[in-house]
Amino acid sequence: MINLDDPKKLVQLRDQAHQVAMNMLRPISRKYDAAEHAYPKELDLLAAMIDGIAESGASSGAGAAGVRRDDEEPKPGVRNGTNLASVMSIAEMCWGDVGLLLSLPRQGLGNSAIASVADAEQQERFAGLWASMAITEPGTGSDSANIRTTARLDGDEYVINGEKIYVTSGERCDAVVVWATLDRSLGRAAIKSFVVMKGTPGMEVERLEHKLGIRSSDTAAIRFVDCRVPRENLLGSPEVDTSQGFAGAMATFDNTRPLVAAMAIGCARASLDLTRDLLERAGVTIDYDRPAQVQSAAAATYLRMEADWESARLLMLQAAWMADNGKPNSLEASMAKAKAGRVGSDITLSCVELCGSIGYGEGELLEKWARDSKILDIFEGTQQIQQLIVARRVLGLTSAELK
Ligand SMILES: Cc1cc2nc3c(=O)[nH]c(=O)nc-3n(C[C@H](O)[C@H](O)[C@H](O)COP(=O)(O)OP(=O)(O)OC[C@H]3O[C@@H](n4cnc5c(N)ncnc54)[C@H](O)[C@@H]3O)c2cc1C
C-alpha cells in the first residue's frame, strides 16, 4: 500500500514553517505588496533563525539553498532528505507569502545553482552567500540556449559582457550566478555559470521592474561591461563537452522546478483555506462525503479545485523525493512545475471568482494571491516549455526534433 502521509521526521519542520508563515509573513504581506521595492527588514530576524538551524546541522529547508543533488552513490533504503524537506517547508512559507519567501536572505535560486553544480571547494568558498540567478536576457527567455552574454578567458580571469533582465533578488543579493557562453559557435555546451560578487567593477544594477505580483521581491536588470571574475568562479567544469550538451547547466532546474511547484502549492492552499472559510460564513457547506454533482455549484467547484491541488502536490513530492534518492527526475520536475503552475493560477483566480466582491477587494488577500501565483507558471520555464520538455521525454525526442 502507498503511504501518502507526510514523513514523520519532517512533520515538525512543516509545522514550524506554517507557524512562521502565519506569525511572521502574513502580518507584513499587504504592507510590502503596497511598498514595492522596499526591503522587508523583518526578514533579517527570520533569516538569522534559519541560518542558526542550518549551522546546528539540521536542514533548514526554508528556501532554494537547501536543495542539492549528491554525487555519491545513493545509500540503500529510502531517503526523505533536503529536497523533500525544502518543498514541504516552502509550500508552508508560501501559504504565508510567496514574494517574502523569495526575498529571504541567503535562500536564492543562485544558491540552488551553487548547490547543484559547484565542486566541494566552491561549495565551501560560497557558503553563506545570498546568490541570485541571471539567465534571462532582453532577446532570450525560454530559449536559454541562445544567450548572448559572453565570458572570455584572459589570464586568470573571465571577462563577462552582456545584459541580464528579470533577476530575482538581483539588487539585494551578495552575488549573482550568471549564465554566459565561452564560445557561441560551440552552441549550448559552451554555456557555463559564473559566480559574480556584488560590487565587482563592470557589474551594475540598471533598474528594478514594477510587477503584477510578488511585489515585495526585487527584480533587477543588470549590465556587465568588461566585468572580470576569477577563473575559479566558473561553476563546475570549464571543459566544453559537446557530447554532454546543456546537461550541466540544466541540472539546476531539476532541483529548482519542484521548489517553484511548492510555491504554487502553498499560495493555492492559502486561497483554498480562506475561500472555504468565506463560503462557510456565507452558508455554503462543502461535504466531503457526498458526490460533487449533488452539491451546490460553489461547493462542487471547490471540491474540483481541491482534487486538482492534491494531484499537483503529489507530483511535487514525487519530483523532490526522486532527487533525494538519486533518481533522474527531469521529467517529473517538469510535470510537477507544469501542473502546479497551472493549477495554482487557476485556483487562486477561481477563488476570487467564488468570493465575488470580497475576493476582488483589498480587504482580503485573495486578489493578491491571484496576482502572486501567475509568475509561478512563468519563471523557471513557462507552462508551454514544461509541456514541451514532458513531451520530448515521453516521446524520446530531442530538442532539435520537437521545438
Ligand atoms: C517576476 C519575474 C522574476 C524572474 N526571475 C528570474 C530570475 O531570477 N532569473 C532569470 O534568469 N530569469 C527570471 N525571470 C525570467 C523568466 O524566467 C522568463 O520570463 C521566462 O523564462 C520566459 O521568458 P520570456 O519572458 O522571454 O518569454 P518568451 O520565452 O518570449 O515566451 C513568451 C511566450 O511564448 C511561449 N513560448 C516560448 N517558446 C515556446 C515554444 N517553443 N513552444 C510553445 N510556446 C513557447 C512561452 O511559454 C510564453 O508563453 C523572471 C521573470 C519574472 C517576470
Side-chain angles (χ1 to χ4, degrees):
M1 195 173 91
I2 302 173
N3 181 355
L4 296 177
D5 288 343
D6 289 341
K8 276 198 196 83
K9 76 168 188 177
L10 299 180
V11 165
Q12 192 187 358
L13 175 79
R14 181 200 67 195
D15 293 349
Q16 277 170 352
H18 190 81
Q19 289 301 318
V20 167
M22 188 159 60
N23 297 314
M24 297 180 84
L25 302 187
R26 279 278 178 99
I28 57 171
S29 196
R30 182 62 83 184
K31 173 179 165 189
Y32 288 104
D33 180 48
E36 191 178 18
H37 297 162
Y39 173 65
K41 53 187 182 319
E42 293 88 341
L43 295 181
D44 285 342
L45 175 65
L46 180 53
M49 280 165 51
I50 292 168
D51 288 346
I53 296 171
E55 271 161 30
S56 74
S59 155
S60 72
V67 298
R68 72 190 74 253
R69 181 169 288 278
D70 294 327
D71 294 332
E72 311 155 11
E73 277 294 300
K75 298 188 184 76
V78 170
R79 284 184 67 192
N80 295 321
T82 52
N83 291 278
L84 197 58
S86 291
V87 291
M88 285 175 60
S89 62
I90 283 177
E92 294 301 333
M93 297 281 275
C94 290
W95 180 89
D97 193 291
V98 178
L100 292 172
L101 181 277
L102 287 167
S103 304
L104 263 180
R106 298 176 288 285
Q107 304 290 331
L109 288 172
N111 291 97
S112 174
I114 293 171
S116 304
V117 188
D119 61 29
E121 183 275 326
Q122 291 171 326
Q123 302 268 9
E124 204 177 322
R125 192 153 42 93
F126 298 132
L129 283 184
W130 181 0
S132 64
M133 178 96 158
I135 303 169
T136 308
E137 300 179 357
T140 308
S142 300
D143 51 344
S144 46
N146 268 335
I147 59 170
R148 286 166 192 275
T149 297
T150 53
R152 177 177 52 82
L153 189 60
D154 181 27
D156 278 342
E157 293 172 324
Y158 284 101
V159 183
I160 298 182
N161 278 287
E163 189 184 356
K164 295 291 179 182
I165 57 171
Y166 282 93
V167 183
T168 297
S169 304
E171 192 193 37
R172 298 169 184 165
C173 64
D174 306 313
V176 183
V177 176
V178 181
W179 281 27
T181 172
L182 296 178
D183 182 348
R184 280 202 86 200
S185 69
L186 294 177
R188 49 182 64 198
I191 294 174
K192 301 286 172 182
S193 48
F194 302 82
V195 178
V196 185
M197 300 303 290
K198 271 316 245 325
T200 306
M203 168 180 177
E204 197 178 339
V205 173
E206 292 209 310
R207 64 172 188 279
L208 296 178
E209 306 295 346
H210 295 281
K211 310 190 296 289
L212 173 74
I214 57 163
R215 291 159 65 101
S216 53
S217 162
D218 67 313
T219 310
I222 306 178
R223 187 178 288 279
F224 298 87
V225 180
D226 292 335
C227 179
R228 303 183 80 90
V229 299
R231 66 187 299 171
E232 56 272 16
N233 282 21
L234 183 152
L235 292 177
S237 164
E239 300 307 319
V240 177
D241 178 358
T242 42
S243 65
Q244 209 208 5
F246 218 15
M250 295 310 257
T252 311
F253 287 136
D254 298 343
N255 286 357
T256 54
R257 284 176 175 155
L259 303 184
V260 179
M263 295 174 201
I265 293 295
C267 188
R269 186 71 246 170
S271 288
L272 285 169
D273 287 352
L274 180 55
T275 298
R276 190 184 45 228
D277 287 352
L278 290 169
L279 287 177
E280 278 174 4
R281 264 185 258 164
V284 177
T285 311
I286 298 153
D287 187 344
Y288 290 91
D289 294 328
R290 286 193 308 142
Q293 69 269 24
V294 300
Q295 301 190 44
S296 70
T301 303
Y302 188 91
L303 287 167
R304 180 191 54 73
M305 289 196 294
E306 264 201 334
D308 247 1
W309 178 86
E310 189 62 42
S311 57
R313 180 174 168 275
L314 291 175
L315 283 170
M316 167 199 82
L317 293 173
Q318 182 190 27
W321 180 88
M322 289 175 80
D324 277 340
N325 287 278
K327 296 177 190 291
N329 72 339
S330 297
L331 171 66
E332 290 76 10
S334 283
M335 287 167 92
K337 166 80 168 71
K339 177 80 179 173
R342 186 173 67 247
V343 159
S345 282
D346 286 353
I347 288 176
T348 52
L349 200 54
S350 299
C351 286
V352 168
E353 193 175 306
L354 277 183
C355 297
S357 55
I358 296 176
Y360 198 75
E362 289 190 2
E364 297 289 352
L365 288 165
L366 287 170
E367 62 81 28
K368 178 181 181 297
W369 294 330
R371 289 187 284 110
D372 287 348
S373 61
K374 189 63 214 174
I375 187 57
L376 306 172
D377 205 20
I378 297 176
F379 68 13
E380 294 293 291
T382 64
Q383 175 66 219
Q384 291 78 5
I385 294 302
Q386 303 307 332
Q387 292 200 23
L388 201 53
I389 294 169
V390 170
R392 282 182 197 138
R393 295 256 164 195
V394 170
L395 300 172
L397 297 174
T398 63
S399 51
E401 290 164 333
L402 190 63
K403 294 186 185 177

